[in-house]
Each structure stands twice: as structure tokens, then as C-alpha cells.
């Protein structure tokens, strides 16, 4: 069997793409397998939905990241609705794991990856890069957020509102008022487990029907939160505001009143701090 060629890297992009900082939260739901399998087959026919105890796994995540370029810097926000899946041709290599084991990174084959169903992004450059490099189903959106931060009062609640957007003829993002979906995750006072779960394999299917995989390395562990206890069911709220959209319809089809199984977060550590000022004593001549 001859080796496959690598997918082309379209101009003007370069790979790998390096993140200067990343703030990331994801939520996982164990849900009924049949609707997940049906939707996955429409988007990625070369993949099979993973099952954990007979349940499929759907993931929704938000990213805020910074990248430094030759011309300066750029900040990007995006959300993804994903199905955890593996290449059907590699089924005999996929380990049998519980959800908790998968979430903590026990799959060292990295065949259990994220099959992207919807990706919304507020950076037109990143939208083009995602489509052309990784065959992501990526389109415009914009965000209002309230995130845990060292530059904010203490707390560990993440709130993300995703709204509709378009791009104009010049490629600039045009915000719209329509709210698509909201995610609130209250992780305050919960115990975390370090998760060695990267590289994360992201799956895409290009316009010619070719399946491809793009790994993403994160250089420190994620923090994983086990949300399986019944008394934690109200810690996560995913709300669909526009059920007539593709995103809203698919969220409702995959996650009908299903409690979250777990959450995972990563926040880049700070690299510098500008400290509080202090007063100098008056000069003796002024006294």
C-alpha cells in the first residue's frame, strides 16, 4: 500500500499554526447514539461515532486565542459543535474506554478525535484558514462572554453568547443581533483532575469527500471536571435561541435534555504582570 500525500497548504498560510495564548472550555454530553450516527454520516462518511457504554459523545467548546504574526497580533474567538469519532478503517485499533478514561487522555492512539459539525468564528482570516487547511465547516459568528480571569473578581464560571454574523464583499465581519446559542458553565468549588488529552485529533471532510485529520498540541494538561453526579446537573446550561438555524436544529437533535457528563478547561498562564503603584515621599524641598 503506497503512502498518501499530505494535504496541500494553501497560500498565504503556514503550518504548524502557533498559538500565543489559549483560553478554552469544553463540555461533553453522553447521549443517544442513533441521531449522532445519522448526523455524522451526513458530514463525515469515513468516520464512526465512538460509544461509551452504548452512548455517543457530543462536545461543545469555546476558544479565545491570541496569535502573533509578522505584522502584529490577532485575537480570535470561536465555538465548535463536535462528535467524538474515529476513522472506520481504523476501528480495530481503537481502545475500549469509559468516558472518564477518554476525557483524561487514556487513548494514546489519538484515533478518538473531534468530528466537527459546526464551527463559528469572529475572525475572517481564521475562517478561511480553517476551511482551506483543515476542511472545517467554519462560518462567521461573534461573541459576548464573561470568563474567569486573573484580571477579574475570583470565580470559575464561564458564560458565552454566540450571535450571528456575515462577511461583506471586502471580507470584514458584519455583526448581527440574532443570538444563536448560549453556554453557561459553573465550575466554582469543583475538584479537577489533570487531563493529558492532547494532541487533540480534529477530523474534517473536504469538498472532494476526502477525510483528513489535523492534530493540535497543547503544551500543558487540561483540567477535567467530572459532572456525572446528579446534584451537578444544573452546573451546565446550553440554550438554543435560534432553533431554525442549522446549529440550533443539530443541538436540539443531539442533546434533548441530556445532562452534561464532564467539562474541561485550559487557560494559558500569564507571562508578565504590571503591579500596583505606590506613592513616593514628597521631595524635601517641597515640604
Amino acid at each position: 500500500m503506497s503512502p498518501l500525500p499530505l494535504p496541500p497548504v494553501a497560500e498565504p498560510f503556514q503550518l504548524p499554526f502557533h498559538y500565543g495564548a489559549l483560553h478554552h472550555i469544553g463540555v461533553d454530553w453522553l447521549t443517544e447514539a442513533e441521531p449522532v450516527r445519522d448526523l455524522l454520516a451526513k458530514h463525515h462518511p469515513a468516520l464512526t461515532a465512538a460509544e461509551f457504554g452504548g452512548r455517543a459523545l457530543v462536545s461543545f467548546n469555546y476558544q479565545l486565542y491570541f496569535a502573533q504574526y509578522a505584522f502584529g497580533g490577532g485575537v480570535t474567538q470561536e465555538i465548535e459543535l463536535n462528535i467524538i469519532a474515529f476513522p472506520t478503517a481504523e476501528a480495530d485499533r481503537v481502545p475500549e474506554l469509559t468516558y472518564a478514561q477518554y476525557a483524561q487522555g487514556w487513548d494514546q492512539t489519538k484515533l478518538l478525535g473531534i468530528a466537527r459539525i459546526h464551527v463559528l468564528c469572529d475572525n475572517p482570516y481564521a475562517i478561511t484558514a480553517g476551511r482551506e487547511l483543515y476542511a472545517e465547516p467554519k462560518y462567521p459568528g461573534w461573541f459576548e462572554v464573561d470568563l474567569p480571569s486573573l484580571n477579574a473578581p475570583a470565580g470559575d464560571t464561564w458564560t458565552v453568547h454566540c450571535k450571528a454574523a456575515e462577511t461583506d464583499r471586502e471580507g470584514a465581519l458584519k455583526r448581527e443581533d440574532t443570538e444563536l446559542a448560549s453556554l453557561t458553565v459553573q465550575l466554582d468549588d469543583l475538584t479537577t483532575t489533570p487531563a493529558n488529552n492532547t494532541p487533540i485529533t480534529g477530523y474534517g471532510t473536504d469538498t472532494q469527500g476526502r477525510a483528513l485529520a489535523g492534530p493540535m498540541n497543547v503544551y500543558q494538561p487540561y483540567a477535567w471536571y467530572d459532572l456525572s453526579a446528579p446534584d451537578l446537573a444544573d452546573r451546565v446550561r446550553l440554550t438554543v435561541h435560534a432553533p431554525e438555524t442549522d446549529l440550533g436544529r443539530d443541538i436540539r437533535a443531539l442533546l434533548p435534555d441530556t445532562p452534561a457528563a464532564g467539562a474541561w478547561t485550559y487557560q494559558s498562564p500569564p507571562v508578565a504582570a504590571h503591579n500596583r503603584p505606590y506613592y513616593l515621599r514628597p521631595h524635601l524641598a517641597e515640604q
Side-chain angles (χ1 to χ4, degrees):
M1 184 180 296
S2 59
L4 294 174
L6 288 172
V9 177
E11 294 288 345
F13 306 111
Q14 296 186 87
L15 292 178
F17 172 76
H18 294 279
Y19 295 69
L22 172 66
H23 301 274
H24 198 183
I25 182 168
V27 181
D28 296 329
W29 288 266
L30 290 166
T31 189
E32 185 180 349
E34 185 175 357
V36 174
R37 287 194 295 262
D38 291 345
L39 186 62
L40 182 66
K42 294 177 182 178
H43 289 264
H44 305 291
L47 302 179
T48 295
E51 293 190 23
F52 304 88
R55 307 281 281 179
L57 188 61
V58 174
S59 181
F60 189 92
N61 76 79
Y62 163 80
Q63 302 174 39
L64 165 65
Y65 56 90
F66 167 81
Q68 183 255 328
Y69 305 95
F71 58 79
V75 177
T76 300
Q77 298 178 88
E78 59 183 69
I79 61 166
E80 297 180 344
L81 178 66
N82 299 318
I83 292 171
I84 308 308
F86 58 87
T88 304
E90 302 284 353
D92 59 339
R93 295 183 54 220
V94 177
E96 184 176 349
L97 301 173
T98 66
Y99 162 68
Q101 291 169 342
Y102 159 76
Q104 294 174 75
W106 286 33
D107 171 27
Q108 291 305 307
T109 72
K110 300 308 176 187
L111 290 170
L112 293 172
I114 54 172
R116 295 182 175 97
I117 305 301
H118 296 284
V119 183
L120 279 77
C121 178
D122 67 356
N123 183 331
Y125 184 81
I127 293 171
T128 302
R131 289 174 177 172
E132 295 194 10
L133 297 175
Y134 298 107
E136 297 181 24
K138 202 165 192 174
Y139 51 97
W142 68 283
F143 306 90
E144 292 181 335
V145 301
D146 187 0
L147 309 178
S149 171
L150 293 175
N151 295 320
D156 202 9
T157 294
W158 301 64
T159 301
V160 179
H161 301 285
C162 176
K163 299 188 176 184
E166 296 290 343
T167 51
D168 61 21
R169 292 181 180 178
E170 287 72 40
L173 192 82
K174 295 179 60 178
R175 296 180 174 185
E176 300 179 359
D177 293 331
T178 303
E179 190 163 7
L180 301 177
S182 298
L183 176 69
T184 299
V185 187
Q186 297 173 297
L187 301 174
D188 307 80
D189 306 318
L190 296 182
T191 301
T192 67
T193 302
N196 178 29
N197 59 347
T198 68
I200 299 168
T201 303
Y203 291 116
T205 302
D206 67 16
T207 54
Q208 285 76 47
R210 297 172 297 191
L212 54 82
M216 174 181 170
N217 289 301
V218 179
Y219 298 137
Q220 293 180 351
Y222 276 74
W224 176 64
Y225 299 78
D226 183 355
L227 300 179
S228 60
D231 62 334
L232 299 179
D234 62 349
R235 292 293 190 118
V236 175
R237 296 191 302 276
L238 177 59
T239 305
V240 174
H241 300 287
E244 74 283 357
T245 64
D246 291 341
L247 175 67
R249 183 168 53 252
D250 288 341
I251 291 175
R252 287 195 163 189
L254 299 182
L255 303 173
D257 301 321
T258 305
W264 35 275
T265 65
Y266 177 87
Q267 295 215 65
S268 290
V271 298
H274 198 164
N275 298 313
R276 183 168 180 168
Y278 55 90
Y279 290 114
L280 302 179
R281 294 184 180 278
H283 192 275
L284 292 178
E286 298 176 358
Q287 296 181 352

PDB file of all heavy atoms in Angstrom, residues 27-33 36 49-52 55-59 82-85 99 102-103 255 261-262:
ATOM      1  N   VAL A  27     -17.527  21.205  26.964  1.00  0.00           N
ATOM      2  CA  VAL A  27     -18.491  20.405  27.731  1.00  0.00           C
ATOM      3  C   VAL A  27     -18.850  19.185  26.905  1.00  0.00           C
ATOM      4  O   VAL A  27     -19.051  19.284  25.688  1.00  0.00           O
ATOM      5  CB  VAL A  27     -19.758  21.215  28.074  1.00  0.00           C
ATOM      6  CG1 VAL A  27     -20.728  20.365  28.884  1.00  0.00           C
ATOM      7  CG2 VAL A  27     -19.401  22.484  28.839  1.00  0.00           C
ATOM      8  N   ASP A  28     -18.912  18.027  27.565  1.00  0.00           N
ATOM      9  CA  ASP A  28     -19.224  16.761  26.913  1.00  0.00           C
ATOM     10  C   ASP A  28     -20.573  16.239  27.397  1.00  0.00           C
ATOM     11  O   ASP A  28     -20.891  16.327  28.580  1.00  0.00           O
ATOM     12  CB  ASP A  28     -18.165  15.701  27.242  1.00  0.00           C
ATOM     13  CG  ASP A  28     -16.788  16.061  26.709  1.00  0.00           C
ATOM     14  OD1 ASP A  28     -16.705  16.731  25.670  1.00  0.00           O
ATOM     15  OD2 ASP A  28     -15.788  15.647  27.336  1.00  0.00           O
ATOM     16  N   TRP A  29     -21.321  15.664  26.455  1.00  0.00           N
ATOM     17  CA  TRP A  29     -22.590  15.026  26.777  1.00  0.00           C
ATOM     18  C   TRP A  29     -22.605  13.592  26.243  1.00  0.00           C
ATOM     19  O   TRP A  29     -22.308  13.375  25.054  1.00  0.00           O
ATOM     20  CB  TRP A  29     -23.771  15.770  26.137  1.00  0.00           C
ATOM     21  CG  TRP A  29     -24.111  17.088  26.748  1.00  0.00           C
ATOM     22  CD1 TRP A  29     -25.037  17.335  27.712  1.00  0.00           C
ATOM     23  CD2 TRP A  29     -23.564  18.370  26.386  1.00  0.00           C
ATOM     24  NE1 TRP A  29     -25.092  18.680  27.981  1.00  0.00           N
ATOM     25  CE2 TRP A  29     -24.195  19.339  27.191  1.00  0.00           C
ATOM     26  CE3 TRP A  29     -22.587  18.774  25.468  1.00  0.00           C
ATOM     27  CZ2 TRP A  29     -23.905  20.693  27.106  1.00  0.00           C
ATOM     28  CZ3 TRP A  29     -22.271  20.127  25.389  1.00  0.00           C
ATOM     29  CH2 TRP A  29     -22.930  21.061  26.193  1.00  0.00           C
ATOM     30  N   LEU A  30     -22.929  12.628  27.085  1.00  0.00           N
ATOM     31  CA  LEU A  30     -23.201  11.263  26.645  1.00  0.00           C
ATOM     32  C   LEU A  30     -24.670  11.191  26.269  1.00  0.00           C
ATOM     33  O   LEU A  30     -25.550  11.466  27.095  1.00  0.00           O
ATOM     34  CB  LEU A  30     -22.879  10.267  27.755  1.00  0.00           C
ATOM     35  CG  LEU A  30     -21.390  10.091  28.063  1.00  0.00           C
ATOM     36  CD1 LEU A  30     -21.201   9.359  29.389  1.00  0.00           C
ATOM     37  CD2 LEU A  30     -20.692   9.337  26.930  1.00  0.00           C
ATOM     38  N   THR A  31     -24.958  10.810  25.037  1.00  0.00           N
ATOM     39  CA  THR A  31     -26.318  10.939  24.533  1.00  0.00           C
ATOM     40  C   THR A  31     -26.685   9.755  23.648  1.00  0.00           C
ATOM     41  O   THR A  31     -25.851   8.891  23.342  1.00  0.00           O
ATOM     42  CB  THR A  31     -26.455  12.271  23.770  1.00  0.00           C
ATOM     43  OG1 THR A  31     -27.819  12.510  23.447  1.00  0.00           O
ATOM     44  CG2 THR A  31     -25.601  12.278  22.512  1.00  0.00           C
ATOM     45  N   GLU A  32     -27.930   9.718  23.229  1.00  0.00           N
ATOM     46  CA  GLU A  32     -28.423   8.622  22.398  1.00  0.00           C
ATOM     47  C   GLU A  32     -27.605   8.511  21.116  1.00  0.00           C
ATOM     48  O   GLU A  32     -27.340   9.512  20.436  1.00  0.00           O
ATOM     49  CB  GLU A  32     -29.903   8.853  22.068  1.00  0.00           C
ATOM     50  CG  GLU A  32     -30.553   7.719  21.316  1.00  0.00           C
ATOM     51  CD  GLU A  32     -32.015   7.981  21.007  1.00  0.00           C
ATOM     52  OE1 GLU A  32     -32.585   8.955  21.546  1.00  0.00           O
ATOM     53  OE2 GLU A  32     -32.586   7.215  20.206  1.00  0.00           O
ATOM     54  N   ALA A  33     -27.230   7.288  20.761  1.00  0.00           N
ATOM     55  CA  ALA A  33     -26.261   7.093  19.686  1.00  0.00           C
ATOM     56  C   ALA A  33     -26.850   7.258  18.289  1.00  0.00           C
ATOM     57  O   ALA A  33     -26.163   7.764  17.387  1.00  0.00           O
ATOM     58  CB  ALA A  33     -25.611   5.713  19.816  1.00  0.00           C
ATOM     59  N   VAL A  36     -26.809  10.707  16.608  1.00  0.00           N
ATOM     60  CA  VAL A  36     -25.414  11.106  16.414  1.00  0.00           C
ATOM     61  C   VAL A  36     -24.829  10.399  15.197  1.00  0.00           C
ATOM     62  O   VAL A  36     -24.165  11.012  14.350  1.00  0.00           O
ATOM     63  CB  VAL A  36     -24.592  10.798  17.683  1.00  0.00           C
ATOM     64  CG1 VAL A  36     -23.113  11.072  17.436  1.00  0.00           C
ATOM     65  CG2 VAL A  36     -25.104  11.618  18.856  1.00  0.00           C
ATOM     66  N   ALA A  49     -19.023   7.056  14.861  1.00  0.00           N
ATOM     67  CA  ALA A  49     -19.191   7.685  16.170  1.00  0.00           C
ATOM     68  C   ALA A  49     -18.713   6.743  17.270  1.00  0.00           C
ATOM     69  O   ALA A  49     -19.076   5.571  17.309  1.00  0.00           O
ATOM     70  CB  ALA A  49     -20.653   8.054  16.390  1.00  0.00           C
ATOM     71  N   ALA A  50     -17.865   7.258  18.163  1.00  0.00           N
ATOM     72  CA  ALA A  50     -17.413   6.471  19.306  1.00  0.00           C
ATOM     73  C   ALA A  50     -18.573   6.272  20.278  1.00  0.00           C
ATOM     74  O   ALA A  50     -19.477   7.108  20.361  1.00  0.00           O
ATOM     75  CB  ALA A  50     -16.264   7.185  20.005  1.00  0.00           C
ATOM     76  N   GLU A  51     -18.538   5.155  20.992  1.00  0.00           N
ATOM     77  CA  GLU A  51     -19.557   4.882  22.001  1.00  0.00           C
ATOM     78  C   GLU A  51     -18.884   4.538  23.318  1.00  0.00           C
ATOM     79  O   GLU A  51     -17.858   3.859  23.362  1.00  0.00           O
ATOM     80  CB  GLU A  51     -20.479   3.754  21.551  1.00  0.00           C
ATOM     81  CG  GLU A  51     -21.336   4.125  20.348  1.00  0.00           C
ATOM     82  CD  GLU A  51     -22.416   3.100  20.034  1.00  0.00           C
ATOM     83  OE1 GLU A  51     -22.798   2.338  20.956  1.00  0.00           O
ATOM     84  OE2 GLU A  51     -22.852   3.062  18.870  1.00  0.00           O
ATOM     85  N   PHE A  52     -19.483   5.018  24.377  1.00  0.00           N
ATOM     86  CA  PHE A  52     -19.015   4.785  25.729  1.00  0.00           C
ATOM     87  C   PHE A  52     -20.195   4.241  26.532  1.00  0.00           C
ATOM     88  O   PHE A  52     -21.128   4.989  26.843  1.00  0.00           O
ATOM     89  CB  PHE A  52     -18.485   6.077  26.345  1.00  0.00           C
ATOM     90  CG  PHE A  52     -17.391   6.724  25.522  1.00  0.00           C
ATOM     91  CD1 PHE A  52     -17.709   7.616  24.506  1.00  0.00           C
ATOM     92  CD2 PHE A  52     -16.061   6.421  25.754  1.00  0.00           C
ATOM     93  CE1 PHE A  52     -16.716   8.211  23.750  1.00  0.00           C
ATOM     94  CE2 PHE A  52     -15.060   7.009  24.996  1.00  0.00           C
ATOM     95  CZ  PHE A  52     -15.385   7.901  23.990  1.00  0.00           C
ATOM     96  N   ARG A  55     -23.445   4.810  24.654  1.00  0.00           N
ATOM     97  CA  ARG A  55     -23.848   6.195  24.410  1.00  0.00           C
ATOM     98  C   ARG A  55     -22.799   6.880  23.539  1.00  0.00           C
ATOM     99  O   ARG A  55     -21.593   6.649  23.687  1.00  0.00           O
ATOM    100  CB  ARG A  55     -23.980   6.968  25.725  1.00  0.00           C
ATOM    101  CG  ARG A  55     -24.868   6.297  26.750  1.00  0.00           C
ATOM    102  CD  ARG A  55     -26.330   6.515  26.449  1.00  0.00           C
ATOM    103  NE  ARG A  55     -26.779   7.832  26.857  1.00  0.00           N
ATOM    104  CZ  ARG A  55     -28.020   8.282  26.681  1.00  0.00           C
ATOM    105  NH1 ARG A  55     -28.926   7.511  26.073  1.00  0.00           N
ATOM    106  NH2 ARG A  55     -28.371   9.484  27.094  1.00  0.00           N
ATOM    107  N   ALA A  56     -23.252   7.736  22.633  1.00  0.00           N
ATOM    108  CA  ALA A  56     -22.344   8.550  21.835  1.00  0.00           C
ATOM    109  C   ALA A  56     -21.945   9.781  22.630  1.00  0.00           C
ATOM    110  O   ALA A  56     -22.573  10.139  23.634  1.00  0.00           O
ATOM    111  CB  ALA A  56     -23.010   8.947  20.525  1.00  0.00           C
ATOM    112  N   LEU A  57     -20.882  10.447  22.173  1.00  0.00           N
ATOM    113  CA  LEU A  57     -20.361  11.605  22.903  1.00  0.00           C
ATOM    114  C   LEU A  57     -20.362  12.827  21.995  1.00  0.00           C
ATOM    115  O   LEU A  57     -19.762  12.823  20.917  1.00  0.00           O
ATOM    116  CB  LEU A  57     -18.944  11.319  23.395  1.00  0.00           C
ATOM    117  CG  LEU A  57     -18.331  12.355  24.339  1.00  0.00           C
ATOM    118  CD1 LEU A  57     -19.163  12.489  25.607  1.00  0.00           C
ATOM    119  CD2 LEU A  57     -16.894  11.974  24.693  1.00  0.00           C
ATOM    120  N   VAL A  58     -21.050  13.872  22.453  1.00  0.00           N
ATOM    121  CA  VAL A  58     -21.130  15.146  21.746  1.00  0.00           C
ATOM    122  C   VAL A  58     -20.425  16.196  22.594  1.00  0.00           C
ATOM    123  O   VAL A  58     -20.588  16.226  23.821  1.00  0.00           O
ATOM    124  CB  VAL A  58     -22.593  15.549  21.491  1.00  0.00           C
ATOM    125  CG1 VAL A  58     -22.687  16.955  20.889  1.00  0.00           C
ATOM    126  CG2 VAL A  58     -23.270  14.534  20.575  1.00  0.00           C
ATOM    127  N   SER A  59     -19.660  17.054  21.952  1.00  0.00           N
ATOM    128  CA  SER A  59     -18.864  18.052  22.661  1.00  0.00           C
ATOM    129  C   SER A  59     -19.119  19.438  22.081  1.00  0.00           C
ATOM    130  O   SER A  59     -19.240  19.601  20.866  1.00  0.00           O
ATOM    131  CB  SER A  59     -17.370  17.693  22.559  1.00  0.00           C
ATOM    132  OG  SER A  59     -16.581  18.616  23.258  1.00  0.00           O
ATOM    133  N   ASN A  82     -19.055  19.338  18.116  1.00  0.00           N
ATOM    134  CA  ASN A  82     -18.302  18.190  17.616  1.00  0.00           C
ATOM    135  C   ASN A  82     -18.922  16.869  18.061  1.00  0.00           C
ATOM    136  O   ASN A  82     -19.581  16.796  19.107  1.00  0.00           O
ATOM    137  CB  ASN A  82     -16.856  18.222  18.140  1.00  0.00           C
ATOM    138  CG  ASN A  82     -16.103  19.449  17.691  1.00  0.00           C
ATOM    139  OD1 ASN A  82     -16.207  19.859  16.543  1.00  0.00           O
ATOM    140  ND2 ASN A  82     -15.340  20.043  18.586  1.00  0.00           N
ATOM    141  N   ILE A  83     -18.649  15.834  17.289  1.00  0.00           N
ATOM    142  CA  ILE A  83     -18.970  14.462  17.651  1.00  0.00           C
ATOM    143  C   ILE A  83     -17.653  13.710  17.816  1.00  0.00           C
ATOM    144  O   ILE A  83     -16.767  13.814  16.961  1.00  0.00           O
ATOM    145  CB  ILE A  83     -19.836  13.791  16.565  1.00  0.00           C
ATOM    146  CG1 ILE A  83     -21.225  14.439  16.508  1.00  0.00           C
ATOM    147  CG2 ILE A  83     -19.958  12.280  16.808  1.00  0.00           C
ATOM    148  CD1 ILE A  83     -22.063  13.999  15.322  1.00  0.00           C
ATOM    149  N   ILE A  84     -17.509  12.973  18.906  1.00  0.00           N
ATOM    150  CA  ILE A  84     -16.303  12.188  19.113  1.00  0.00           C
ATOM    151  C   ILE A  84     -16.395  10.945  18.228  1.00  0.00           C
ATOM    152  O   ILE A  84     -17.355  10.180  18.311  1.00  0.00           O
ATOM    153  CB  ILE A  84     -16.122  11.796  20.581  1.00  0.00           C
ATOM    154  CG1 ILE A  84     -16.220  13.054  21.458  1.00  0.00           C
ATOM    155  CG2 ILE A  84     -14.793  11.093  20.774  1.00  0.00           C
ATOM    156  CD1 ILE A  84     -15.316  14.191  21.051  1.00  0.00           C
ATOM    157  N   ALA A  85     -15.384  10.778  17.372  1.00  0.00           N
ATOM    158  CA  ALA A  85     -15.456   9.753  16.333  1.00  0.00           C
ATOM    159  C   ALA A  85     -14.055   9.233  16.028  1.00  0.00           C
ATOM    160  O   ALA A  85     -13.050   9.772  16.504  1.00  0.00           O
ATOM    161  CB  ALA A  85     -16.100  10.333  15.070  1.00  0.00           C
ATOM    162  N   TYR A  99     -16.004   6.823  29.392  1.00  0.00           N
ATOM    163  CA  TYR A  99     -15.903   8.253  29.088  1.00  0.00           C
ATOM    164  C   TYR A  99     -14.846   8.916  29.955  1.00  0.00           C
ATOM    165  O   TYR A  99     -14.037   9.719  29.459  1.00  0.00           O
ATOM    166  CB  TYR A  99     -17.251   8.954  29.292  1.00  0.00           C
ATOM    167  CG  TYR A  99     -17.062  10.447  29.420  1.00  0.00           C
ATOM    168  CD1 TYR A  99     -16.649  11.208  28.329  1.00  0.00           C
ATOM    169  CD2 TYR A  99     -17.226  11.090  30.659  1.00  0.00           C
ATOM    170  CE1 TYR A  99     -16.415  12.576  28.451  1.00  0.00           C
ATOM    171  CE2 TYR A  99     -16.995  12.453  30.778  1.00  0.00           C
ATOM    172  CZ  TYR A  99     -16.587  13.187  29.684  1.00  0.00           C
ATOM    173  OH  TYR A  99     -16.342  14.536  29.810  1.00  0.00           O
ATOM    174  N   TYR A 102     -11.437   8.265  28.572  1.00  0.00           N
ATOM    175  CA  TYR A 102     -11.205   9.049  27.356  1.00  0.00           C
ATOM    176  C   TYR A 102     -10.924  10.507  27.711  1.00  0.00           C
ATOM    177  O   TYR A 102      -9.975  11.120  27.182  1.00  0.00           O
ATOM    178  CB  TYR A 102     -12.421   8.966  26.434  1.00  0.00           C
ATOM    179  CG  TYR A 102     -12.473  10.100  25.441  1.00  0.00           C
ATOM    180  CD1 TYR A 102     -11.645  10.118  24.328  1.00  0.00           C
ATOM    181  CD2 TYR A 102     -13.325  11.192  25.660  1.00  0.00           C
ATOM    182  CE1 TYR A 102     -11.662  11.178  23.436  1.00  0.00           C
ATOM    183  CE2 TYR A 102     -13.354  12.260  24.774  1.00  0.00           C
ATOM    184  CZ  TYR A 102     -12.518  12.252  23.666  1.00  0.00           C
ATOM    185  OH  TYR A 102     -12.524  13.318  22.801  1.00  0.00           O
ATOM    186  N   ALA A 103     -11.736  11.087  28.602  1.00  0.00           N
ATOM    187  CA  ALA A 103     -11.611  12.505  28.941  1.00  0.00           C
ATOM    188  C   ALA A 103     -10.274  12.821  29.582  1.00  0.00           C
ATOM    189  O   ALA A 103      -9.774  13.949  29.465  1.00  0.00           O
ATOM    190  CB  ALA A 103     -12.750  12.917  29.866  1.00  0.00           C
ATOM    191  N   LEU A 255     -28.948  16.731  21.622  1.00  0.00           N
ATOM    192  CA  LEU A 255     -28.919  16.912  23.070  1.00  0.00           C
ATOM    193  C   LEU A 255     -30.302  17.273  23.613  1.00  0.00           C
ATOM    194  O   LEU A 255     -30.526  18.384  24.109  1.00  0.00           O
ATOM    195  CB  LEU A 255     -27.913  18.007  23.438  1.00  0.00           C
ATOM    196  CG  LEU A 255     -26.480  17.783  22.963  1.00  0.00           C
ATOM    197  CD1 LEU A 255     -25.630  19.009  23.247  1.00  0.00           C
ATOM    198  CD2 LEU A 255     -25.889  16.548  23.624  1.00  0.00           C
ATOM    199  N   ALA A 261     -21.846  15.301  30.998  1.00  0.00           N
ATOM    200  CA  ALA A 261     -21.049  14.273  31.661  1.00  0.00           C
ATOM    201  C   ALA A 261     -19.756  14.832  32.222  1.00  0.00           C
ATOM    202  O   ALA A 261     -19.216  14.294  33.200  1.00  0.00           O
ATOM    203  CB  ALA A 261     -20.729  13.149  30.676  1.00  0.00           C
ATOM    204  N   GLY A 262     -19.223  15.877  31.605  1.00  0.00           N
ATOM    205  CA  GLY A 262     -17.959  16.432  32.064  1.00  0.00           C
ATOM    206  C   GLY A 262     -17.642  17.731  31.365  1.00  0.00           C
ATOM    207  O   GLY A 262     -18.256  18.083  30.353  1.00  0.00           O
TER     208      GLY A 262
END
